[in-house]
PDB file of all heavy atoms in Angstrom:
ATOM      1  N   TRP A  25       4.412  31.939  40.969  1.00 98.00           N
ATOM      2  CA  TRP A  25       4.839  32.371  42.321  1.00 98.00           C
ATOM      3  C   TRP A  25       3.661  32.542  43.271  1.00 98.00           C
ATOM      4  O   TRP A  25       2.640  33.123  42.899  1.00 98.00           O
ATOM      5  CB  TRP A  25       5.578  33.710  42.199  1.00 98.00           C
ATOM      6  CG  TRP A  25       5.844  34.334  43.546  1.00 98.00           C
ATOM      7  CD1 TRP A  25       4.951  35.126  44.236  1.00 98.00           C
ATOM      8  CD2 TRP A  25       6.974  34.168  44.354  1.00 98.00           C
ATOM      9  NE1 TRP A  25       5.521  35.549  45.435  1.00 98.00           N
ATOM     10  CE2 TRP A  25       6.760  34.947  45.561  1.00 98.00           C
ATOM     11  CE3 TRP A  25       8.192  33.448  44.238  1.00 98.00           C
ATOM     12  CZ2 TRP A  25       7.699  34.998  46.590  1.00 98.00           C
ATOM     13  CZ3 TRP A  25       9.102  33.559  45.265  1.00 98.00           C
ATOM     14  CH2 TRP A  25       8.885  34.305  46.405  1.00 98.00           C
ATOM     15  N   ASN A  27       2.886  33.936  47.438  1.00 98.00           N
ATOM     16  CA  ASN A  27       3.272  34.206  48.837  1.00 98.00           C
ATOM     17  C   ASN A  27       2.057  34.348  49.746  1.00 98.00           C
ATOM     18  O   ASN A  27       1.275  33.363  49.779  1.00 98.00           O
ATOM     19  CB  ASN A  27       4.308  35.372  48.963  1.00 98.00           C
ATOM     20  CG  ASN A  27       3.939  36.700  48.349  1.00 98.00           C
ATOM     21  OD1 ASN A  27       3.880  36.833  47.148  1.00 98.00           O
ATOM     22  ND2 ASN A  27       3.744  37.679  49.179  1.00 98.00           N
ATOM     23  N   ASP A  28       1.833  35.416  50.411  1.00 98.00           N
ATOM     24  CA  ASP A  28       0.870  35.499  51.527  1.00 98.00           C
ATOM     25  C   ASP A  28      -0.542  34.906  51.266  1.00 98.00           C
ATOM     26  O   ASP A  28      -1.114  35.167  50.182  1.00 98.00           O
ATOM     27  CB  ASP A  28       0.582  36.946  51.935  1.00 98.00           C
ATOM     28  CG  ASP A  28       1.811  37.775  52.079  1.00 98.00           C
ATOM     29  OD1 ASP A  28       2.910  37.263  51.916  1.00 98.00           O
ATOM     30  OD2 ASP A  28       1.660  38.977  52.347  1.00 98.00           O
ATOM     31  N   ASN A  30      -4.371  35.489  51.545  1.00 98.00           N
ATOM     32  CA  ASN A  30      -5.182  36.719  51.568  1.00 98.00           C
ATOM     33  C   ASN A  30      -6.634  36.348  51.625  1.00 98.00           C
ATOM     34  O   ASN A  30      -7.038  35.307  51.169  1.00 98.00           O
ATOM     35  CB  ASN A  30      -5.022  37.526  50.259  1.00 98.00           C
ATOM     36  CG  ASN A  30      -3.582  38.102  50.043  1.00 98.00           C
ATOM     37  OD1 ASN A  30      -3.185  38.339  48.913  1.00 98.00           O
ATOM     38  ND2 ASN A  30      -2.859  38.301  51.113  1.00 98.00           N
ATOM     39  N   GLN A  44      -1.325  35.887  47.346  1.00 98.00           N
ATOM     40  CA  GLN A  44      -0.424  36.683  46.514  1.00 98.00           C
ATOM     41  C   GLN A  44       0.145  35.770  45.393  1.00 98.00           C
ATOM     42  O   GLN A  44       0.734  34.728  45.734  1.00 98.00           O
ATOM     43  CB  GLN A  44       0.712  37.260  47.352  1.00 98.00           C
ATOM     44  CG  GLN A  44       0.244  38.353  48.303  1.00 98.00           C
ATOM     45  CD  GLN A  44      -0.116  39.625  47.562  1.00 98.00           C
ATOM     46  OE1 GLN A  44       0.755  40.377  47.152  1.00 98.00           O
ATOM     47  NE2 GLN A  44      -1.406  39.885  47.332  1.00 98.00           N
ATOM     48  N   PRO A  52       8.475  37.200  42.528  1.00 97.00           N
ATOM     49  CA  PRO A  52       7.496  37.985  43.277  1.00 97.00           C
ATOM     50  C   PRO A  52       7.295  39.346  42.636  1.00 97.00           C
ATOM     51  O   PRO A  52       7.706  40.372  43.172  1.00 97.00           O
ATOM     52  CB  PRO A  52       8.026  38.093  44.660  1.00 97.00           C
ATOM     53  CG  PRO A  52       9.515  37.944  44.488  1.00 97.00           C
ATOM     54  CD  PRO A  52       9.748  37.106  43.289  1.00 97.00           C
ATOM     55  N   MET A  55       1.838  41.433  41.607  1.00 98.00           N
ATOM     56  CA  MET A  55       0.963  40.487  42.298  1.00 98.00           C
ATOM     57  C   MET A  55      -0.488  40.536  41.854  1.00 98.00           C
ATOM     58  O   MET A  55      -1.103  41.586  41.752  1.00 98.00           O
ATOM     59  CB  MET A  55       0.975  40.759  43.816  1.00 98.00           C
ATOM     60  CG  MET A  55       2.282  40.414  44.437  1.00 98.00           C
ATOM     61  SD  MET A  55       2.731  38.699  44.196  1.00 98.00           S
ATOM     62  CE  MET A  55       4.421  38.767  44.770  1.00 98.00           C
ATOM     63  N   CYS A  86      -1.606  43.964  43.173  1.00 99.00           N
ATOM     64  CA  CYS A  86      -2.700  43.888  44.139  1.00 99.00           C
ATOM     65  C   CYS A  86      -2.124  43.154  45.362  1.00 99.00           C
ATOM     66  O   CYS A  86      -2.016  41.945  45.361  1.00 99.00           O
ATOM     67  CB  CYS A  86      -3.880  43.095  43.551  1.00 99.00           C
ATOM     68  SG  CYS A  86      -4.564  43.845  42.036  1.00 99.00           S
ATOM     69  N   TRP A  87      -1.683  43.962  46.323  1.00 98.00           N
ATOM     70  CA  TRP A  87      -0.977  43.374  47.466  1.00 98.00           C
ATOM     71  C   TRP A  87      -1.968  42.835  48.484  1.00 98.00           C
ATOM     72  O   TRP A  87      -3.174  42.878  48.278  1.00 98.00           O
ATOM     73  CB  TRP A  87       0.019  44.397  48.027  1.00 98.00           C
ATOM     74  CG  TRP A  87       1.259  44.438  47.208  1.00 98.00           C
ATOM     75  CD1 TRP A  87       1.467  43.897  45.981  1.00 98.00           C
ATOM     76  CD2 TRP A  87       2.514  45.044  47.567  1.00 98.00           C
ATOM     77  NE1 TRP A  87       2.766  44.154  45.545  1.00 98.00           N
ATOM     78  CE2 TRP A  87       3.421  44.818  46.527  1.00 98.00           C
ATOM     79  CE3 TRP A  87       2.949  45.717  48.713  1.00 98.00           C
ATOM     80  CZ2 TRP A  87       4.765  45.287  46.560  1.00 98.00           C
ATOM     81  CZ3 TRP A  87       4.266  46.154  48.777  1.00 98.00           C
ATOM     82  CH2 TRP A  87       5.169  45.932  47.718  1.00 98.00           C
ATOM     83  N   SER A  88      -1.443  42.394  49.598  1.00 99.00           N
ATOM     84  CA  SER A  88      -2.232  41.593  50.531  1.00 99.00           C
ATOM     85  C   SER A  88      -3.437  42.366  51.173  1.00 99.00           C
ATOM     86  O   SER A  88      -3.462  43.575  51.228  1.00 99.00           O
ATOM     87  CB  SER A  88      -1.356  41.092  51.684  1.00 99.00           C
ATOM     88  OG  SER A  88      -0.518  40.080  51.158  1.00 99.00           O
ATOM     89  N   GLY A  89      -4.377  41.560  51.618  1.00 98.00           N
ATOM     90  CA  GLY A  89      -5.572  42.105  52.242  1.00 98.00           C
ATOM     91  C   GLY A  89      -6.486  41.008  52.745  1.00 98.00           C
ATOM     92  O   GLY A  89      -6.061  39.848  52.871  1.00 98.00           O
ATOM     93  N   SER A 103      -4.343  46.079  49.321  1.00 98.00           N
ATOM     94  CA  SER A 103      -3.465  47.263  49.103  1.00 98.00           C
ATOM     95  C   SER A 103      -3.120  47.326  47.623  1.00 98.00           C
ATOM     96  O   SER A 103      -2.624  46.325  47.040  1.00 98.00           O
ATOM     97  CB  SER A 103      -2.169  47.101  49.885  1.00 98.00           C
ATOM     98  OG  SER A 103      -2.459  47.145  51.239  1.00 98.00           O
ATOM     99  N   ARG A 150       0.152  48.969  54.367  1.00 98.00           N
ATOM    100  CA  ARG A 150      -0.464  47.911  53.570  1.00 98.00           C
ATOM    101  C   ARG A 150      -1.082  46.803  54.426  1.00 98.00           C
ATOM    102  O   ARG A 150      -0.944  46.772  55.652  1.00 98.00           O
ATOM    103  CB  ARG A 150       0.558  47.271  52.611  1.00 98.00           C
ATOM    104  CG  ARG A 150       1.862  46.807  53.313  1.00 98.00           C
ATOM    105  CD  ARG A 150       2.811  46.273  52.233  1.00 98.00           C
ATOM    106  NE  ARG A 150       4.078  45.855  52.747  1.00 98.00           N
ATOM    107  CZ  ARG A 150       5.173  46.595  52.797  1.00 98.00           C
ATOM    108  NH1 ARG A 150       5.117  47.843  52.357  1.00 98.00           N
ATOM    109  NH2 ARG A 150       6.292  46.152  53.295  1.00 98.00           N
ATOM    110  N   ASP A 151      -1.741  45.899  53.714  1.00 98.00           N
ATOM    111  CA  ASP A 151      -2.299  44.619  54.208  1.00 98.00           C
ATOM    112  C   ASP A 151      -3.497  44.872  55.175  1.00 98.00           C
ATOM    113  O   ASP A 151      -3.470  44.399  56.350  1.00 98.00           O
ATOM    114  CB  ASP A 151      -1.196  43.797  54.940  1.00 98.00           C
ATOM    115  CG  ASP A 151       0.082  43.714  54.124  1.00 98.00           C
ATOM    116  OD1 ASP A 151      -0.010  43.837  52.859  1.00 98.00           O
ATOM    117  OD2 ASP A 151       1.156  43.474  54.686  1.00 98.00           O
ATOM    118  N   MET A 202       8.577  47.792  60.755  1.00 98.00           N
ATOM    119  CA  MET A 202       7.364  47.871  59.905  1.00 98.00           C
ATOM    120  C   MET A 202       6.584  46.605  60.155  1.00 98.00           C
ATOM    121  O   MET A 202       7.141  45.503  60.208  1.00 98.00           O
ATOM    122  CB  MET A 202       7.872  47.955  58.420  1.00 98.00           C
ATOM    123  CG  MET A 202       6.908  47.409  57.388  1.00 98.00           C
ATOM    124  SD  MET A 202       5.458  48.488  57.167  1.00 98.00           S
ATOM    125  CE  MET A 202       4.276  47.371  56.397  1.00 98.00           C
ATOM    126  N   GLU A 204       4.035  44.126  58.837  1.00 98.00           N
ATOM    127  CA  GLU A 204       3.291  43.626  57.688  1.00 98.00           C
ATOM    128  C   GLU A 204       2.188  42.680  58.202  1.00 98.00           C
ATOM    129  O   GLU A 204       2.290  42.091  59.290  1.00 98.00           O
ATOM    130  CB  GLU A 204       4.214  42.822  56.725  1.00 98.00           C
ATOM    131  CG  GLU A 204       5.302  43.665  56.125  1.00 98.00           C
ATOM    132  CD  GLU A 204       6.012  42.942  54.981  1.00 98.00           C
ATOM    133  OE1 GLU A 204       6.492  41.821  55.183  1.00 98.00           O
ATOM    134  OE2 GLU A 204       6.099  43.510  53.896  1.00 98.00           O
ATOM    135  N   CYS A 205       1.155  42.592  57.405  1.00 98.00           N
ATOM    136  CA  CYS A 205       0.088  41.619  57.643  1.00 98.00           C
ATOM    137  C   CYS A 205      -0.433  41.584  59.079  1.00 98.00           C
ATOM    138  O   CYS A 205      -0.446  40.517  59.730  1.00 98.00           O
ATOM    139  CB  CYS A 205       0.527  40.227  57.204  1.00 98.00           C
ATOM    140  SG  CYS A 205       1.094  40.163  55.516  1.00 98.00           S
ATOM    141  N   SER A 220       3.652  40.396  61.130  1.00 98.00           N
ATOM    142  CA  SER A 220       4.891  39.917  60.556  1.00 98.00           C
ATOM    143  C   SER A 220       5.864  41.110  60.560  1.00 98.00           C
ATOM    144  O   SER A 220       5.797  41.977  59.701  1.00 98.00           O
ATOM    145  CB  SER A 220       4.700  39.451  59.117  1.00 98.00           C
ATOM    146  OG  SER A 220       3.831  38.313  59.092  1.00 98.00           O
ATOM    147  N   ILE A 222       8.995  43.462  60.153  1.00 98.00           N
ATOM    148  CA  ILE A 222      10.226  43.544  59.422  1.00 98.00           C
ATOM    149  C   ILE A 222      11.300  44.052  60.394  1.00 98.00           C
ATOM    150  O   ILE A 222      11.069  44.990  61.157  1.00 98.00           O
ATOM    151  CB  ILE A 222      10.107  44.517  58.230  1.00 98.00           C
ATOM    152  CG1 ILE A 222       9.151  43.955  57.174  1.00 98.00           C
ATOM    153  CG2 ILE A 222      11.476  44.813  57.595  1.00 98.00           C
ATOM    154  CD1 ILE A 222       8.954  44.881  55.993  1.00 98.00           C
ATOM    155  N   TYR A 258       5.337  32.689  57.454  1.00 98.00           N
ATOM    156  CA  TYR A 258       5.289  34.139  57.394  1.00 98.00           C
ATOM    157  C   TYR A 258       3.914  34.618  56.954  1.00 98.00           C
ATOM    158  O   TYR A 258       3.148  33.838  56.308  1.00 98.00           O
ATOM    159  CB  TYR A 258       6.350  34.664  56.386  1.00 98.00           C
ATOM    160  CG  TYR A 258       6.608  36.159  56.543  1.00 98.00           C
ATOM    161  CD1 TYR A 258       7.234  36.663  57.699  1.00 98.00           C
ATOM    162  CD2 TYR A 258       6.261  37.050  55.544  1.00 98.00           C
ATOM    163  CE1 TYR A 258       7.455  38.036  57.840  1.00 98.00           C
ATOM    164  CE2 TYR A 258       6.520  38.436  55.669  1.00 98.00           C
ATOM    165  CZ  TYR A 258       7.116  38.902  56.842  1.00 98.00           C
ATOM    166  OH  TYR A 258       7.332  40.258  56.960  1.00 98.00           O
ATOM    167  N   ALA A 259       3.600  35.891  57.247  1.00 98.00           N
ATOM    168  CA  ALA A 259       2.396  36.539  56.758  1.00 98.00           C
ATOM    169  C   ALA A 259       1.113  35.799  57.074  1.00 98.00           C
ATOM    170  O   ALA A 259       0.165  35.722  56.316  1.00 98.00           O
ATOM    171  CB  ALA A 259       2.486  36.715  55.219  1.00 98.00           C
ATOM    172  N   TRP A 275       2.054  31.566  54.918  1.00 98.00           N
ATOM    173  CA  TRP A 275       2.910  31.262  53.754  1.00 98.00           C
ATOM    174  C   TRP A 275       4.047  30.389  54.257  1.00 98.00           C
ATOM    175  O   TRP A 275       4.750  30.766  55.181  1.00 98.00           O
ATOM    176  CB  TRP A 275       3.409  32.554  53.168  1.00 98.00           C
ATOM    177  CG  TRP A 275       4.385  32.460  52.036  1.00 98.00           C
ATOM    178  CD1 TRP A 275       4.408  31.514  51.068  1.00 98.00           C
ATOM    179  CD2 TRP A 275       5.437  33.382  51.772  1.00 98.00           C
ATOM    180  NE1 TRP A 275       5.446  31.795  50.151  1.00 98.00           N
ATOM    181  CE2 TRP A 275       6.058  32.938  50.621  1.00 98.00           C
ATOM    182  CE3 TRP A 275       5.922  34.531  52.408  1.00 98.00           C
ATOM    183  CZ2 TRP A 275       7.196  33.611  50.037  1.00 98.00           C
ATOM    184  CZ3 TRP A 275       7.019  35.208  51.873  1.00 98.00           C
ATOM    185  CH2 TRP A 275       7.622  34.756  50.697  1.00 98.00           C
ATOM    186  N   TRP A 279      10.746  35.349  52.519  1.00 98.00           N
ATOM    187  CA  TRP A 279      11.527  36.237  51.668  1.00 98.00           C
ATOM    188  C   TRP A 279      12.996  35.941  51.806  1.00 98.00           C
ATOM    189  O   TRP A 279      13.513  35.748  52.919  1.00 98.00           O
ATOM    190  CB  TRP A 279      11.260  37.704  52.050  1.00 98.00           C
ATOM    191  CG  TRP A 279       9.847  38.147  51.769  1.00 98.00           C
ATOM    192  CD1 TRP A 279       8.932  38.463  52.723  1.00 98.00           C
ATOM    193  CD2 TRP A 279       9.170  38.203  50.534  1.00 98.00           C
ATOM    194  NE1 TRP A 279       7.738  38.792  52.119  1.00 98.00           N
ATOM    195  CE2 TRP A 279       7.869  38.598  50.776  1.00 98.00           C
ATOM    196  CE3 TRP A 279       9.545  37.941  49.198  1.00 98.00           C
ATOM    197  CZ2 TRP A 279       6.918  38.790  49.763  1.00 98.00           C
ATOM    198  CZ3 TRP A 279       8.613  38.121  48.198  1.00 98.00           C
ATOM    199  CH2 TRP A 279       7.352  38.565  48.464  1.00 98.00           C
TER     200      TRP A 279
HETATM  201  C1  FRU B 501       4.267  40.114  53.094  1.00 60.43           C
HETATM  202  C2  FRU B 501       4.155  41.155  52.002  1.00 60.43           C
HETATM  203  C3  FRU B 501       3.014  42.097  52.322  1.00 60.43           C
HETATM  204  C4  FRU B 501       2.662  42.608  50.925  1.00 60.43           C
HETATM  205  C5  FRU B 501       2.847  41.376  50.085  1.00 60.43           C
HETATM  206  C6  FRU B 501       3.336  41.656  48.686  1.00 60.43           C
HETATM  207  O1  FRU B 501       4.919  38.964  52.685  1.00 60.43           O
HETATM  208  O2  FRU B 501       5.368  41.845  51.869  1.00 60.43           O
HETATM  209  O3  FRU B 501       3.328  43.132  53.204  1.00 60.43           O
HETATM  210  O4  FRU B 501       1.357  43.106  50.863  1.00 60.43           O
HETATM  211  O5  FRU B 501       3.822  40.574  50.769  1.00 60.43           O
HETATM  212  O6  FRU B 501       3.280  40.500  47.923  1.00 60.43           O
END
Side-chain angles (χ1 to χ4, degrees):
W25 168 274
N27 56 290
D28 312 359
N30 294 156
Q44 289 289 282
M55 291 302 171
C86 299
W87 280 15
S88 288
S103 295
R150 53 183 178 265
D151 314 335
M202 153 72 199
E204 296 192 306
C205 304
S220 296
I222 293 181
Y258 195 67
W275 174 34
W279 296 114

